[in-house]
Amino acid sequence: MLTNYLKLAIRVLGRNKFFTAITLFGISFTLAIMMLIISMMETEVGSTQPLSQKDKMILLPNLTLQKQFYDTIYTFDTLLINEVVTIDSTYKLEEAGSNNSNNQFAWSYLDKHLSDISSAKSYSFFNMGNSFNAYVNNSKVEMKAVYTDHRFWEVFDFNFREGFGFSESSVEQQEKVAVITTKLAENYFGKTTGILDEYIEMDGNSFKVMGVIDPPGVSLLATDIIVPHTLQNTVGRSEEIGFGGYMAVFLAEEESGMQKIRDEIAVVNSGLTVHPDVQEYYNEVRLPAFSYFEIYADSILSLDDDDTRGRSLGVLKWIMFGLLSFFILLPTLNLINLNVSRIMERSSEIGVRKAFGASQSNILGQFLIENIVQTILGGLLGMGLALLMIRMINNAGLLGDIVLKVNYKFYLYSLVICLIFGLLSGLLPAYRMSKLHVVNALKQTKS
Amino acid sequence: MIELQNVNKVYRTKTIETTALNDINLSVPAGEFLSIMGPSGCGKSTLLNIIGLLDEPSNGSVNIAGTSVTSYNGKKIASFRNEKLGFIFQSFHLIPDLSVVDNVELPLLYRKVGSKQRRMMAEAALESVGLKNRMSHYPNQLSGGQKQRVAIARAIVGNPDIILADEPTGNLDSVMGNEVMDILTGLNSNNNTTIVMVTHDENMAKKTHKLMRLYDGAQVK
């Protein structure tokens, strides 16, 4: 029976080639866009290198100092009691305003307070967002630098093309060594291999290349060159307060261990006091801790407020869900329409099939299979289109530091989306047709 | 083989009520070839549809091959039709996207017959209507007479007890019409298949055992 249906599905597609071409174009284009979204999501929030362990990460992006002011609010009322005017007053304490200061951490602050979180398998402190320029053969090469420790390589699993990450002793001895991306290698040296032990100039220093990695390709880890943090010396007044340019990341043994890390950080937090120099303005220290996904959601939605940051993930999920539903629903409705008119032409066939013993579920199954065949065909075309678009986007660097990835999950999710699309767009027309009364079906068309 | 008692069919809309069949009583014994005649709109096709379980009577009882089918649900009726009944339509109703042999196999598809067995039975049915050499053609490559012969092959492939034919020669010229009629009378006499045929053609009706005339939904006595 299935072979029969498949044979028929192919034959039906070939019957009206123009119509089929239009339908397939619509399906493939829709699915290509959805596959592109999948690839983006998989790249940014999927478990890919160097963030394979992202679902076990707790990040501390900043230190928050704050103080809330309260005001006494008086309310006066006049009352007439026994024909005498009396004044009645009430008051309440209301939040009148707050001082808030958010900044990344100073290395020393992190080292002092957060280097002893025992439930973490590993941890790393790193400073991002340093941009330097170098001039090679009269052209400017821009590099985004990360200053960090030797554990950075444990937390983030970079794919080393050659060499390796710097060690603890390299960091302690302030060795001028660097790990660079293939992108920087290409721009700086004009090649991506055989550059170990070569020197690269940055910020007035000459660093020896000891490792070459694939570009991280995710927005949260945008970097070209990674060097020991001990080479950065910017101690100032803000450093004493705790402010600097560093973030902390803690890695749990298992996903279930993340709460333990959060709890331990909360204990540390409770013992922290505001530096005496700024106690005039602040009276509370907070160490907001987030999962990678929460941080990611927040970086997209830019809800910077600490209270909303944890909620961003939920909001982002709804937005993504809404967008995907929207993208899937509109073309589905369109396809349903096309399918209904197309199947209506075949009402005589439905009548005959029913007359000769086809049950409602037989008819439903037949048209669903036909629709899924059509969608999978469109999906294959769409996949080709999506792969082409991904290649073009990556080659042109349209998404900045993000390099779209294609892995087995991309294919898996794409297949699932094809099936959902096929089922959704086929179910309603197939159901309508399967309900068609046999006598009416036979009356409608003649062949 | 076919028993209809006090069968009525009334179509109701909000404003109007139309009686298509009025108190029909009919008994067709096994092996009989019955023709139904009457002017257009007198209810011939409605009656055939009720006998063929394609439509339900408003009231009255329908008994086919010893089974009272009035209480059957959709799925049971579908499988009953599949095993006991074969249909031939005036406009053939072949599926244009299927080859001749695939069209003929259709009833067996819903009977869970293996593909080899299906092919064998379809070939045999096509041979009996003289179209074995057209097996892999498509309906649009056939003449009207050939199409109707394919439709007959489809109706007989499952070896049904009853064949219901709705003006099977109506779209054919007299030569082709006679050819089709010969096949039907052959089926009736050789296989003892019960046939009920709606026709407009007196000459065709004369070739059957019994004639029933309808007028305005009622039997003409």
Side-chain angles (χ1 to χ4, degrees), chain A residues 281-299:
Chain A
Y281 313 105
Y282 309 108
N283 61 1
E284 195 188 345
V285 183
R286 285 179 58 197
L287 298 175
F290 303 103
S291 70
Y292 175 85
F293 301 101
E294 284 168 345
I295 293 269
Y296 180 75
D298 192 62
S299 72

Side-chain angles (χ1 to χ4, degrees), chain A residues 150-190:
Chain A
H150 64 283
R151 283 180 296 261
F152 193 67
W153 316 112
E154 290 172 18
V155 178
F156 302 107
D157 56 333
F158 285 93
N159 184 28
F160 276 86
R161 291 291 187 92
E162 53 186 27
F164 42 83
F166 41 78
S167 65
E168 188 173 6
S169 67
S170 292
V171 176
E172 276 172 7
Q173 289 163 28
Q174 293 181 291
E175 283 178 21
K176 289 180 181 170
V177 287
V179 170
I180 66 171
T181 62
T182 49
K183 185 179 143 203
L184 179 60
E186 178 67 44
N187 290 343
Y188 197 93
F189 298 107

Side-chain angles (χ1 to χ4, degrees), chain A residues 76-324:
Chain A
F76 294 97
D77 243 347
T78 50
L79 295 170
L80 202 63
I81 302 172
N82 295 334
E83 295 185 4
V84 178
V85 176
T86 336
I87 295 175
D88 173 47
S89 73
T90 52
Y91 68 91
K92 55 183 170 179
L93 220 54
E94 270 190 2
E95 195 180 311
S98 61
N99 278 348
N100 242 309
S101 188
N102 277 318
N103 212 323
Q104 284 162 320
F105 297 91
W107 175 278
S108 54
Y109 195 86
L110 286 173
D111 196 39
K112 185 176 169 191
H113 300 293
L114 289 157
S115 57
D116 200 22
I117 301 293
S118 59
S119 47
K121 182 172 120 189
S122 183
Y123 67 96
S124 177
F125 307 144
F126 58 103
N127 180 340
M128 285 178 53
N130 308 279
S131 205
F132 301 102
N133 291 326
Y135 293 88
V136 184
N137 300 329
N138 290 327
S139 64
K140 191 172 85 174
V141 176
E142 204 186 310
M143 42 184 124
K144 289 181 187 135
V146 165
Y147 290 90
T148 187
D149 50 31
H150 64 283
R151 283 180 296 261
F152 193 67
W153 316 112
E154 290 172 18
V155 178
F156 302 107
D157 56 333
F158 285 93
N159 184 28
F160 276 86
R161 291 291 187 92
E162 53 186 27
F164 42 83
F166 41 78
S167 65
E168 188 173 6
S169 67
S170 292
V171 176
E172 276 172 7
Q173 289 163 28
Q174 293 181 291
E175 283 178 21
K176 289 180 181 170
V177 287
V179 170
I180 66 171
T181 62
T182 49
K183 185 179 143 203
L184 179 60
E186 178 67 44
N187 290 343
Y188 197 93
F189 298 107
K191 56 184 180 177
T192 56
T193 50
I195 45 175
L196 292 184
D197 298 336
E198 299 253 8
Y199 284 86
I200 188 164
E201 296 286 332
M202 183 183 78
D203 196 23
N205 278 320
S206 195
F207 293 87
K208 190 162 89 172
V209 176
M210 63 174 302
V212 181
I213 52 171
D214 283 334
V218 284
S219 51
L220 220 69
L221 258 186
T223 179
D224 302 302
I225 177 165
I226 301 161
V227 295
H229 72 90
T230 43
L231 296 170
Q232 196 184 31
N233 40 10
T234 49
V235 183
R237 185 169 169 270
S238 62
E239 175 136 0
E240 289 163 27
I241 300 164
F243 287 158
Y246 283 84
M247 289 169 74
V249 56
F250 298 90
L251 191 64
E253 195 82 50
E254 291 299 327
E255 225 177 306
S256 54
M258 286 166 71
Q259 190 52 44
K260 264 189 175 171
I261 296 180
R262 282 182 199 262
D263 293 345
E264 223 176 312
I265 290 170
V267 171
V268 170
N269 194 164
S270 65
L272 293 176
T273 51
V274 177
H275 191 272
D277 286 3
V278 288
Q279 277 178 357
E280 189 185 337
Y281 313 105
Y282 309 108
N283 61 1
E284 195 188 345
V285 183
R286 285 179 58 197
L287 298 175
F290 303 103
S291 70
Y292 175 85
F293 301 101
E294 284 168 345
I295 293 269
Y296 180 75
D298 192 62
S299 72
I300 298 228
L301 295 179
S302 308
L303 301 176
D304 269 332
D305 187 4
D306 274 343
D307 294 330
T308 49
R309 192 184 279 243
R311 286 211 312 262
S312 295
L313 181 61
V315 176
L316 185 70
K317 275 182 182 166
W318 276 109
I319 292 177
M320 290 312 285
F321 178 74
L323 273 179
L324 264 180

Side-chain angles (χ1 to χ4, degrees), chain A residues 11 20 34 41 65 78 85 93 110 115 198 214 220 253 261 337 363 368 373 404 416 432:
Chain A
R11 178 97 193 142
T20 304
M34 282 196 271
M41 287 175 72
L65 299 182
T78 50
V85 176
L93 220 54
L110 286 173
S115 57
E198 299 253 8
D214 283 334
L220 220 69
E253 195 82 50
I261 296 180
N337 225 351
I363 303 285
L368 268 186
V373 166
L404 293 179
V416 170
R432 267 185 64 176

Side-chain angles (χ1 to χ4, degrees), chain B residues 75-88:
Chain B
K75 206 161 186 172
K76 227 169 167 184
I77 285 185
S79 82
F80 188 84
R81 266 203 305 265
N82 179 268
E83 282 172 27
K84 305 281 183 199
L85 306 171
F87 296 89
I88 300 165

